[in-house]
Amino acid sequence: MAERSQTVPEAGNDMGNDDAIGGNVSKYMVLPSGYCGQSKKGHLIFDACFESGNLGWVDQVSEFEYDLFIRPDTCNPRFRVWFNFTVENVKESQRVIFNIVNFSKTKSLYRDGMAPMVKSTSRPKWQRLPPKNVYYYRCPDHRKNYVMSFAFCFDREEDIYQFAYCYPYTYTRFQHYLDSLQKRNMDYFFREQLGQSVQQRQLDLLTITSPDNLREGAEQKVVFITGRVHPGETPSSFVCQGIIDFLISQHPIARVLREHLVFKIAPMLNPDGVYLGNYRCSLMGFDLNRHWLDPSPWAHPTLHGVKQLIIRMYNDPKTSLEFYIDIHAHSTMMNGFMYGNIFEDEERFQRQAIFPKLLCQNAEDFSYSSTSFNRDAVKAGTGRRFLGGLLDHTSYCYTLEVSFYSYIIGGTTAAVPYTEEAYMKLGRNVARTFLDYYRLNPLVEKVAIPMPRLRKEKPPPYKHPLLRGPARNHPNGKGDKKSSVNHKDPSNSF
């Protein structure tokens, strides 16, 4: 392994090297080994001491090459996947190779063309690096661990460059988003604090429905959605925002859904982990999605609060908890897809397959063939498995997964990289699929008002014939149209 370079704190920062190894690097300038004298342009300064940041250490291998070490999740050394850091004090046309050398996973979408994200001060929109500049391989210099290397050329000396595993979505961004929704004073949008995290961050619970459904004594059909129990799975937040944005809109479908359903959404179950830049765990090192069976009110307070609410709703004779959907991101598979449960009752098992089949019709990036139903012992403590065992035969529990990287449109082999907008579009399509599930399509025409279409629309390629189960007493109607959007980013590149 290369001799360790000199890594010194920038002026005004007194954090020592030992502290930096245990946490994130903080304005660290990396000098060549044996270098003496004043620092200059091209002596890179790395920083990850910001919200959702993660970079534990930097070694300079040569004039052009750097080994980067991911900081493990707090209180849990097992998980090292998420990274998010800045680089400054660059020299124009300075070419570098960055090696992420200590991933805790071996399988990765980097084998399939995934690339890190980058933005800079003058170009604040996140973009993926060109796949041809990214390499994923087993490295003999790092005990044959898998290493992801990417080449990059800095082109603007005054810019600060930021690199991340995927599009970041911070706790602060989430709070600003909810604050902006609250200020709109919509009578069908309600925000409450269900509890607090260990570090006293808010556990927000949103209720989206017509006020009539909340009057005393009203019967409620509830769809419960959670996200971001694994903090590094940032696509979960974009999908959640897509769901919320659609449900609070004046789209005729959204208006019908609000009339007939009560949506309860806890979009960020692990706010501490999100803030700290962890990949999978909470502040105390717990994978919260393995603690649904018996969450502690002090060690897992957000999970405990959500579980208690769901149990209260389950025990309320006026409330029918119809769906539980927990949103995640997947590091080795393409597309969106679902995990569901296995039941002895064959009819219940078949009915459980209806929603993902309908979603497959509405969302070109959702794959029913990748959807699976299991009772894997490793997943016993997850929300899907626990609630699938607790709730009765009228309830369906799913994990919705979406790729960190891309989706493949049916009939092609080309991978289409996800953008923030494409993740949110999947969320919109999840929401509108409830219209098909409950066969509320004929009611849309009654509430529709003349309004410009936001997206060019085209009919879905096929309609699934399964009609039993979720019909309730609503008449059947024609399937809703499926929207399409060009997912390609603008051609602005580094």
Side-chain angles (χ1 to χ4, degrees):
M1 189 170 175
E3 180 185 357
R4 174 159 283 178
S5 58
Q6 294 175 262
T7 311
V8 296
E10 195 179 26
N13 189 317
D14 59 0
M15 181 182 285
N17 287 359
D18 290 341
D19 294 327
I21 293 172
N24 284 326
V25 294
S26 177
K27 294 291 185 181
Y28 269 134
M29 179 178 288
V30 180
L31 301 177
S33 181
Y35 179 85
C36 297
Q38 291 290 319
S39 61
K40 56 186 180 181
K41 281 285 187 182
H43 291 159
L44 302 184
I45 296 172
F46 293 83
D47 186 44
C49 272
F50 52 83
E51 185 178 2
S52 293
N54 187 312
L55 184 64
W57 188 255
V58 182
D59 272 340
Q60 187 171 25
V61 179
S62 70
E63 182 182 357
F64 307 104
E65 188 172 359
Y66 299 79
D67 283 349
L68 310 183
F69 295 81
I70 297 170
R71 169 187 54 77
D73 284 8
T74 54
C75 301
N76 193 322
R78 288 181 55 202
F79 300 106
R80 300 177 308 278
V81 176
W82 173 258
F83 59 83
N84 183 13
F85 62 92
T86 62
V87 180
E88 57 188 297
N89 198 45
V90 307
K91 190 165 57 178
E92 187 175 348
S93 301
Q94 182 176 0
R95 297 178 183 274
V96 297
I97 295 175
F98 288 151
N99 308 311
I100 308 286
V101 300
N102 66 331
F103 283 114
S104 57
K105 285 188 170 185
T106 56
K107 294 181 179 179
S108 174
L109 285 166
Y110 289 122
R111 299 177 301 182
D112 302 306
M114 179 170 155
M117 312 301 304
V118 63
K119 71 174 185 176
S120 73
T121 311
S122 63
R123 288 151 295 188
K125 180 179 173 59
W126 285 102
Q127 299 178 51
R128 291 190 187 273
L129 292 175
K132 63 184 176 63
N133 292 0
V134 181
Y135 310 89
Y136 189 69
Y137 56 98
R138 194 185 290 271
C139 181
D141 290 340
H142 293 280
R143 295 178 294 180
K144 295 187 177 179
N145 288 336
Y146 277 88
V147 169
M148 186 272 290
S149 298
F150 61 95
F152 191 79
C153 181
F154 298 107
D155 60 348
R156 299 184 185 178
E157 290 194 354
E158 302 309 313
D159 271 16
I160 297 174
Y161 294 78
Q162 185 171 351
F163 301 90
Y165 181 81
C166 192
Y167 303 97
Y169 196 113
T170 65
Y171 172 78
T172 297
R173 171 176 175 167
F174 172 58
Q175 290 299 312
H176 288 163
Y177 169 64
L178 295 188
D179 290 345
S180 70
L181 297 186
Q182 258 190 304
K183 289 175 183 175
R184 292 166 60 180
N185 294 318
M186 298 170 283
D187 67 355
Y188 47 80
F189 173 85
F190 307 89
R191 177 189 183 187
E192 60 187 296
Q193 184 174 316
L194 190 57
Q196 288 186 318
S197 67
V198 174
Q199 288 188 316
Q200 305 301 298
R201 294 188 178 90
Q202 287 187 198
L203 171 60
D204 289 283
L205 176 70
L206 312 180
T207 302
I208 302 174
T209 192
S210 166
D212 288 344
N213 293 327
L214 300 180
R215 71 183 188 277
E216 189 173 351
E219 294 189 354
Q220 298 182 355
K221 292 180 180 178
V222 175
V223 174
F224 207 110
I225 297 171
T226 56
R228 218 60 191 281
V229 70
H230 292 150
E233 297 176 7
T234 58
S236 166
S237 284
F238 292 103
V239 175
C240 247
Q241 182 172 328
I243 293 172
I244 296 165
D245 285 342
F246 184 79
L247 290 176
I248 64 172
S249 74
Q250 290 306 310
H251 194 290
I253 293 175
R255 294 164 67 189
V256 167
L257 291 176
R258 292 196 299 266
E259 290 295 322
H260 289 81
L261 298 168
V262 177
F263 290 90
K264 296 277 187 181
I265 306 175
M268 194 170 282
L269 288 183
N270 192 346
D272 289 348
V274 170
Y275 188 90
L276 293 166
N278 287 352
Y279 175 66
R280 195 171 183 89
C281 296
S282 65
L283 166 76
M284 299 173 69
F286 294 110
D287 179 348
L288 296 182
N289 204 36
R290 296 297 183 272
H291 288 273
W292 277 88
L293 292 172
D294 189 25
S296 160
W298 66 271
H300 324 112
T302 57
L303 205 63
H304 182 266
V306 170
K307 179 180 174 181
Q308 293 305 307
L309 173 62
I310 289 176
I311 289 176
R312 287 198 302 272
M313 292 168 53
Y314 174 63
N315 291 328
D316 182 348
K318 293 286 188 180
T319 301
S320 174
L321 185 51
E322 311 243 314
F323 281 89
Y324 172 75
I325 300 176
D326 190 26
I327 306 176
H328 290 250
H330 208 283
S331 64
T332 63
M333 293 181 67
M334 305 283 199
N335 299 91
F337 59 95
M338 278 180 156
Y339 293 125
N341 295 315
I342 290 177
F343 303 106
E344 302 300 333
D345 181 347
E346 179 64 22
E347 184 183 0
R348 184 183 184 190
F349 179 73
Q350 292 296 329
R351 282 189 279 123
Q352 184 189 214
I354 295 174
F355 187 85
K357 286 179 178 177
L358 292 173
L359 178 55
C360 188
Q361 293 173 201
N362 288 332
E364 65 181 358
D365 56 319
F366 185 86
S367 169
Y368 184 75
S369 62
S370 295
T371 294
S372 65
F373 304 90
N374 64 69
R375 54 161 63 110
D376 185 349
V378 177
K379 310 281 189 178
T382 65
R384 167 181 63 87
R385 283 289 305 280
F386 170 74
L387 294 173
L390 171 73
L391 305 177
D392 62 29
H393 65 91
T394 63
S395 306
Y396 299 101
C397 302
Y398 305 93
T399 300
L400 172 61
E401 297 273 3
V402 60
S403 175
F404 272 111
Y405 171 41
S406 68
Y407 59 95
I408 297 174
I409 299 176
T412 72
T413 57
V416 181
Y418 272 107
T419 63
E420 294 180 22
E421 166 59 25
Y423 285 129
M424 288 192 277
K425 182 187 176 189
L426 176 59
R428 295 195 296 271
N429 286 328
V430 168
R432 64 194 297 148
T433 298
F434 289 104
L435 187 86
D436 298 329
Y437 185 87
Y438 288 103
R439 298 177 186 168
L440 299 171
N441 308 72
L443 301 180
V444 173
E445 296 177 6
K446 296 179 181 179
V447 301
I449 55 176
M451 57 190 304
R453 286 183 176 178
L454 300 179
R455 297 282 182 269
K456 183 179 178 182
E457 297 187 350
K458 61 182 180 181
Y462 62 92
K463 182 73 179 175
H464 193 270
L466 277 172
L467 298 177
R468 49 182 191 151
R472 309 302 179 201
N473 293 319
H474 298 295
N476 188 26
K478 295 181 180 179
D480 183 44
K481 293 182 179 179
K482 172 181 172 182
S483 62
S484 64
V485 64
N486 180 5
H487 296 291
K488 293 184 178 179
D489 275 330
S491 57
N492 178 30
S493 59
F494 284 80

